[in-house]
Amino acid sequence: MSYELTIEPLGRSIEVEEGQTILDAALRAGIYLPHACGQGYCATCKVCITDGEVDHQNASSFALMDYEREEGQTLACCATLESDTVIEVEMEIDEDARDIPVKDFHGTVSRIENLTPTIKGIWLKLPNDEVLDFQAGQYINLYLPNDMGHRAFSLANAPSAGNEIELNIRIVPGGVGTTWIHNELKVGDQITVSGPYGRFFVHKSANVPSLFMAGGSGLSSPRSMILELLETGSELPITLVYGARNQGELYYHQEFLDLAAQYPHFTYVPALNDEPADSGWEGFRGFVHEAAKAHFDNDFRGNKAYLCGPPIMIEACITALMQGRLFERDIYTEKFFSAADAQQVRSPLFKRV
């Protein structure tokens, strides 16, 4: 059984299967709806029901309060239809965005490498000649066995890589999913992913230099974006400021050194914040935001900045960028939300970052 969902102001109508969420149906039809956590925590996907009936399912009472339910609002990531329904969505048009339908892919683990003591590179070969079409910077959901659910991981390869995708996965202490991936997953295993997801990509139409600031496995998206920019012939300045604790945690270091030597408009600034004093490291010592401030002499004007990493790193980078006269319209972040993140009070000054 299915119902018809009409999405305003787009005027688009799609079929939604029984038990399928509004968000999943829209994304699989190639219609982007604003969202973040996908679990009913953050309220980013809140929409207004103007006609019809829905089941709110497991939407958090914090993200969707009782009075909002009574007013006809719901969370697209949780709500399922109980009749033909019309919703109204607040949407921003972005000329750089591609609306790519979400699909399921059943891949085979083709390679596993230890990139650092805490980060593994996982390569998945897609069947036959299937190719995951995506914008550099987007992510996939990887489905785990034994009722562990799914986890979101950014794509580390350029879109041109064909039908083999790369994920860089850091083990989270106490994390059931990443522990299973690090300790149990092996070459030859079959695993399902869905994607692409996310609204994180290079805003090429701005035609300005790009500054990437990343920490840990947050390097995945910037690597994909930088590789695509270089492959497609962009000649605008590109700067990567990448932070790790020490040299052992610094991965793809030689690749970026080689790219900087090959492309004069690409600059690579690695930063280590806990490197032994006597190690002989000649690069920057300190955090990502400190390295960026030093490199740009605290003046970030004229750039588009793309931030990927732990929330504390992102917050420090946003502060540094704004102190260096770069503001919200030119700052983009990749930050996955958990239930704990969603409960935090965020400044009303920041609507997007």
Side-chain angles (χ1 to χ4, degrees), residues 163-174:
N163 73 337
E164 187 176 51
I165 65 174
E166 178 186 350
L167 310 174
N168 300 158
I169 300 176
R170 180 178 69 88
I171 189 167
V172 177

Side-chain angles (χ1 to χ4, degrees), residues 110-182:
S110 55
R111 185 160 43 121
I112 299 176
E113 290 185 11
N114 292 320
L115 299 177
T116 78
T118 60
I119 300 173
K120 282 186 181 290
I122 308 292
W123 282 261
L124 301 177
K125 191 80 170 180
L126 303 182
N128 304 317
D129 295 322
E130 287 189 83
V131 174
L132 172 60
D133 184 20
F134 70 99
Q135 283 188 270
Q138 291 189 294
Y139 67 93
I140 53 90
N141 281 334
L142 187 149
Y143 292 85
L144 305 175
N146 306 321
D147 297 320
M148 286 188 286
H150 66 266
R151 302 293 187 275
F153 298 109
S154 298
L155 291 150
N157 56 283
S160 63
N163 73 337
E164 187 176 51
I165 65 174
E166 178 186 350
L167 310 174
N168 300 158
I169 300 176
R170 180 178 69 88
I171 189 167
V172 177
V176 174
T178 58
T179 297
W180 180 84
I181 290 169
H182 272 245

